[in-house]
Amino acid sequence: MDKKLIDDIMIGSGISKYTINEDHSINIDGNVALNSEQLIIQYMINGSIKLNIINGDFSCMLKGDLSNASLPKIVYGDFDISFSDFKTLERCPEYVGGDYNCSYNELTTLKGCIKEVNGDFNCSMNELLTLEHAPYNVSGDVDISHNLLTNLKYTPIAESYFVIGNDFDDDITDDNIHQV
């Protein structure tokens, strides 16, 4: 994709503070809140535009086939893809500086999730059977409510937990919390 087309997409999406890198990935300075009406969304869904670094919060709601969707590699603020149609987190950021919200998706696994969350972690309202691949450490709260979990194995170390709406008898103990 050439730089002129990237400029047109970014400006057409209301994003003015950005840098196009040599590899044509994009760094954005500031918060990014995307909705389905913005031009950039269709290019993110088909993976033809590559976001690299977001120097702020990143939130978007993506619908449809997201198997090729492109998300930022680094988000220095909060990362929120709630109310989307993601089935996997494998294309999600390698680093998030704040909260990580992947609630209200179609996730059956947390594979691809980052290993440490510097805020709250919310994976509620999905179809998770296990917390395998969950972050090891969460600086804030963890919401794993309303999934299909049968146990609490791999529960992240966190400030507090919300586990309502799951079918298990386990309590959160040292035996099922990640050991670092």
Side-chain angles (χ1 to χ4, degrees), residues 14-69:
I15 299 170
S16 59
K17 295 181 179 180
Y18 64 92
T19 303
I20 302 171
N21 301 311
E22 284 186 29
D23 66 356
H24 291 165
S25 66
I26 301 162
N27 296 347
I28 299 175
D29 191 25
N31 296 333
V32 178
L34 302 175
N35 63 55
S36 61
E37 296 172 9
Q38 289 171 295
L39 184 60
I40 192 172
I41 291 290
Q42 72 186 39
Y43 292 96
M44 286 177 60
I45 288 174
N46 69 23
S48 60
I49 201 162
K50 305 287 186 214
L51 300 179
N52 188 37
I53 297 173
I54 307 297
N55 286 307
D57 298 338
F58 177 85
S59 67
C60 71
M61 184 171 50
L62 299 176
K63 297 293 185 180
D65 178 8
L66 303 178
S67 58
N68 294 316

Side-chain angles (χ1 to χ4, degrees), residues 139-170:
S139 297
D141 299 329
V142 171
D143 188 346
I144 57 174
S145 63
H146 302 286
N147 276 289
L148 303 174
L149 300 171
T150 57
N151 65 59
L152 290 171
K153 189 174 181 183
Y154 305 110
T155 298
I157 298 168
E159 289 284 318
S160 66
Y161 305 91
F162 302 96
V163 296
I164 298 167
N166 290 292
D167 187 24
F168 49 79
D169 295 324
D170 293 2

Side-chain angles (χ1 to χ4, degrees), residues 65-137:
D65 178 8
L66 303 178
S67 58
N68 294 316
S70 173
L71 292 167
K73 287 185 179 179
I74 297 171
V75 176
Y76 284 109
D78 296 339
F79 174 72
D80 185 348
I81 55 168
S82 59
F83 296 95
S84 294
D85 289 342
F86 283 97
K87 293 176 177 34
T88 178
L89 297 175
E90 292 185 273
R91 295 179 183 268
C92 288
E94 299 164 4
Y95 174 83
V96 173
D99 297 342
Y100 191 110
N101 187 348
C102 56
S103 63
Y104 291 91
N105 274 278
E106 298 173 8
L107 298 174
T108 58
T109 178
L110 293 173
K111 188 172 183 180
C113 190
I114 59 176
K115 297 300 173 205
E116 186 165 341
V117 175
N118 299 305
D120 297 338
F121 177 68
N122 185 348
C123 64
S124 65
M125 303 303 290
N126 279 290
E127 299 169 14
L128 296 172
L129 299 172
T130 177
L131 292 174
E132 187 174 13
H133 307 293
Y136 288 108
N137 292 306

